[in-house]
């Protein structure tokens, strides 16, 4: 009886997630039914990477490298400060929320970092086999990540991450482990390429059903354009991403950086059903950084909003 009841609870959660993913990505509508759950492993992290349409695997050089590409942690700018921290709050769709915090430090050719992500929803209606409402419950995913990166030289960086994953629906809890591997190569100061394989590991077993992890491969490059606009510079990025059970997506991103003080991002991803565009804004003042990103949708699900705050200690 307990198992049957929680299968119905799980179905309620996955119906919400599948509908949300079909509208919002990162999976297409056709693939959403084949890849339910584990959304927290796929949602873009950080306002800069989100604003650039997720074309970020070669660009990332901040603590969000624990999500995008562990090699990016080796490019963390902590020359004057010892430690960098990044916070994000994500107002997602269908009353889902996400909070994320990451930190990292670099010493010589070595860099280490870690992150915590919590993705949650409450007040879901549990129903019995006759469709009658029985109880209100919640669900959440938690991902804890540890990352190490190493700079082989001034141009090449490698990195890896280990993840501990917890998924809870009502009173049932599942656990899994995963790993990421990544690399970045700076061909010259204005041109960089990168790649990462993420979410490799065991699936989550719920009663008698196993959900595979959304293992993904993403490769791309970024280029600082040779002309300047006033005191600002333009960055263009192009990535290709393929996740298990999903279509291949081509991701485009652009950023205008005004003297390292203010930034504006725009991005677009192909193959999504209701949206592909994204926008972001950022500002840096002393050791503080603020960011905002929005992903609008064509459907009645509205838009998702991310807010970030960073500092260097």
């Amino acid at each position: 009886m307990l198992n049957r009841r929680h299968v119905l609870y799980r179905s309620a959660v996955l119906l919400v997630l599948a509908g949300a993913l079909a509208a919002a990505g990162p999976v297409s509508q056709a693939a959403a039914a084949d890849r339910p759950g584990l959304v927290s492993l796929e949602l873009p992290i950080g306002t800069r990477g989100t604003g650039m349409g997720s074309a970020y695997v070669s660009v990332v050089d901040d603590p969000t490298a624990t999500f995008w590409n562990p090699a990016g942690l080796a490019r963390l700018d902590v020359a004057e400060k010892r430690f960098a921290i990044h916070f994000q709050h994500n107002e997602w769709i269908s009353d889902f929320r996400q909070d994320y915090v990451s930190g990292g430090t670099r010493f010589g050719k070595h860099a280490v970092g870690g992150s915590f992500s919590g993705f949650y929803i409450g007040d879901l209606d549990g129903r019995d086999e006759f469709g009658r409402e029985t109880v209100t419950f919640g669900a959440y995913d938690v991902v804890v990540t540890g990352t190490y990166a190493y700079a082989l030289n001034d141009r090449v960086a490698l990195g890896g991450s280990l993840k501990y994953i917890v998924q809870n629906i009502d009173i049932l809890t599942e656990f899994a482990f995963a790993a990421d591997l990544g690399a970045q190569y700076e061909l010259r100061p204005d041109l960089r390429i990168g790649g990462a394989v993420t979410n490799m590991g065991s699936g989550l077993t719920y009663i008698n059903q196993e959900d595979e992890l959304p293992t993904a491969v993403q490769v791309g490059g970024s280029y600082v354009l040779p002309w300047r606009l006033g005191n600002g510079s333009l960055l263009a990025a192009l990535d290709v991403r393929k996740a298990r059970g999903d279509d291949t997506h081509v991701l485009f991103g652009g950023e205008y950086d005004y003297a390292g003080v203010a930034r504006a991002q725009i991005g677009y991803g192909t193959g999504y059903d209701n949206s592909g565009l994204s926008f972001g804004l950022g500002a840096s003042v002393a050791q503080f950084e603020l960011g905002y990103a929005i992903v609008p949708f064509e459907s009645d699900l509205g838009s998702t909003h991310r807010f970030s705050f960073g500092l260097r200690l």
Side-chain angles (χ1 to χ4, degrees):
M1 190 68 171
L2 178 67
N3 284 359
R4 186 171 186 180
R5 187 184 74 183
H6 285 87
V7 167
L8 293 169
Y9 289 1
R10 181 174 185 267
S11 298
V13 175
L14 298 184
L15 278 173
V16 175
L17 290 176
L21 285 173
V27 301
S28 66
Q29 187 169 0
D34 296 329
R35 300 175 61 214
L38 299 170
V39 177
S40 57
L41 296 178
E42 301 185 82
L43 290 181
I45 290 292
T47 54
R48 188 184 180 202
T50 301
M52 291 184 66
S54 297
Y56 205 50
V57 72
S58 68
V59 178
V60 63
D61 57 2
D62 56 51
T64 64
T66 61
F67 173 83
W68 295 103
N69 183 350
L73 208 63
R75 302 187 186 280
L76 193 65
D77 182 11
V78 289
E80 297 180 359
K81 305 295 181 180
R82 295 185 177 182
F83 198 78
I85 301 176
H86 182 94
F87 301 90
Q88 175 200 269
H89 177 71
N90 179 7
E91 290 284 323
W92 209 51
I93 51 184
S94 300
D95 295 324
F96 282 92
R97 302 291 181 266
Q98 181 187 40
D99 290 300
Y100 170 90
V101 58
S102 62
T105 187
R106 180 170 57 83
F107 42 95
K109 295 184 177 183
H110 306 272
V112 294
S115 64
F116 173 90
S117 174
F119 179 73
Y120 51 91
I121 186 173
D123 298 331
L124 288 170
D125 293 331
R127 298 181 182 274
D128 62 20
E129 58 268 37
F130 303 106
R132 298 174 299 198
E133 184 176 334
T134 56
V135 69
T136 298
F137 66 101
Y140 64 82
D141 292 352
V142 169
V143 182
V144 180
T145 304
T147 300
Y148 169 76
Y150 179 73
L152 296 177
N153 50 47
D154 293 338
R155 293 188 172 186
V156 180
L158 304 174
S161 296
L162 293 176
K163 297 176 178 178
Y164 177 61
I165 304 162
V166 180
Q167 185 179 77
N168 172 272
I169 300 176
D170 195 28
I171 64 171
L172 295 186
T173 305
E174 313 161 45
F175 307 91
F177 295 91
D180 300 346
L181 292 175
Q184 286 184 345
Y185 177 38
E186 189 175 275
L187 285 78
R188 59 193 197 195
D190 60 352
L191 181 62
R192 188 186 301 172
I193 59 175
V197 183
T198 57
N199 303 320
M200 300 178 291
S202 61
L204 292 172
T205 301
Y206 188 94
I207 306 177
N208 294 320
Q209 179 177 335
E210 182 177 356
D211 288 337
E212 294 182 321
L213 297 184
T215 303
V217 177
Q218 185 167 336
V219 296
S222 53
Y223 178 55
V224 179
L225 300 178
W227 60 84
R228 299 183 66 84
L229 297 177
N231 291 327
S233 61
L234 290 170
L235 172 70
L238 171 66
D239 285 14
V240 177
R241 175 183 173 85
K242 177 68 173 73
R244 173 181 284 143
D246 189 20
D247 301 326
T248 298
H249 299 284
V250 181
L251 312 171
F252 303 90
E255 180 181 66
Y256 175 69
D257 186 324
Y258 180 78
V261 176
R263 289 172 169 168
Q265 301 93 22
I266 186 170
Y268 181 78
T270 66
Y272 299 115
D273 293 304
N274 289 291
S275 177
L277 283 172
S278 57
F279 306 92
L281 294 171
S284 299
V285 180
Q287 71 267 37
F288 303 101
E289 295 182 357
L290 297 174
Y292 168 74
I294 181 172
V295 181
F297 302 115
E298 299 173 5
S299 66
D300 58 0
L301 290 170
S303 302
T304 66
H305 304 269
R306 288 170 175 78
F307 306 88
S308 68
F309 172 72
L311 70 159
R312 302 181 188 277
L313 304 175

